[in-house]
Amino acid sequence: MHELSVVRALLTQLKPYQQQEIRRICIEVGTMSCVDSERLHFCFNMVKDEAELSDAILNINVVAAQAECRSCGQPFSPRGPGDACPCGSYDYTLTSGRQLLLTEIGFG
């Protein structure tokens, strides 16, 4: 379960802010990032007490993949790895959907 490693990396990013009470952590997770948002929630809830974040909640915004086809030039939304453009081409650039970003820290 690599989601636990992702959570631990997130907690490392939060350390400089922990002199204040962190109440909310918002992240973006792309559908092509290979990170399962339910497992991420589970892992966060499992370790948040030991990180002194027992009152914090994790908000995850799942971002759908977007791509631009190099063959036809049209944007489209692949549903998973290996999906073709509606024109049938597999030659495209993924423009979003791989991100794993800390977007907001809410203090209480």
Side-chain angles (χ1 to χ4, degrees):
M1 180 183 310
H2 70 278
E3 284 79 2
L4 184 56
S5 298
V6 171
V7 167
R8 293 208 185 276
L10 174 64
L11 296 177
T12 300
Q13 287 186 323
L14 295 173
K15 279 187 181 186
Y17 305 99
Q18 284 190 282
Q19 70 276 8
Q20 301 175 57
E21 183 183 4
I22 297 174
R23 305 288 288 187
R24 184 179 69 254
I25 302 152
C26 301
I27 62 173
E28 285 185 358
V29 176
T31 56
M32 299 286 205
S33 69
C34 298
V35 174
D36 183 286
S37 59
E38 288 182 27
R39 288 183 184 168
L40 203 59
H41 262 121
F42 175 81
C43 291
F44 178 77
N45 288 330
M46 187 173 71
V47 300
K48 71 180 187 176
D49 289 340
E50 72 185 52
E52 299 179 17
L53 293 168
S54 57
D55 293 331
I57 59 166
L58 179 64
N59 292 327
I60 299 175
N61 179 27
V62 177
V63 179
Q66 296 293 314
E68 187 172 312
C69 182
R70 291 186 190 121
S71 295
C72 71
Q74 295 298 308
F76 71 102
S77 300
R79 288 179 294 233
D83 275 2
C85 174
C87 78
S89 174
Y90 291 92
D91 185 18
Y92 58 84
T93 301
L94 201 59
T95 57
S96 74
R98 287 187 293 209
Q99 64 264 50
L100 182 56
L101 301 169
L102 172 61
T103 57
E104 183 180 340
I105 302 170
F107 300 100

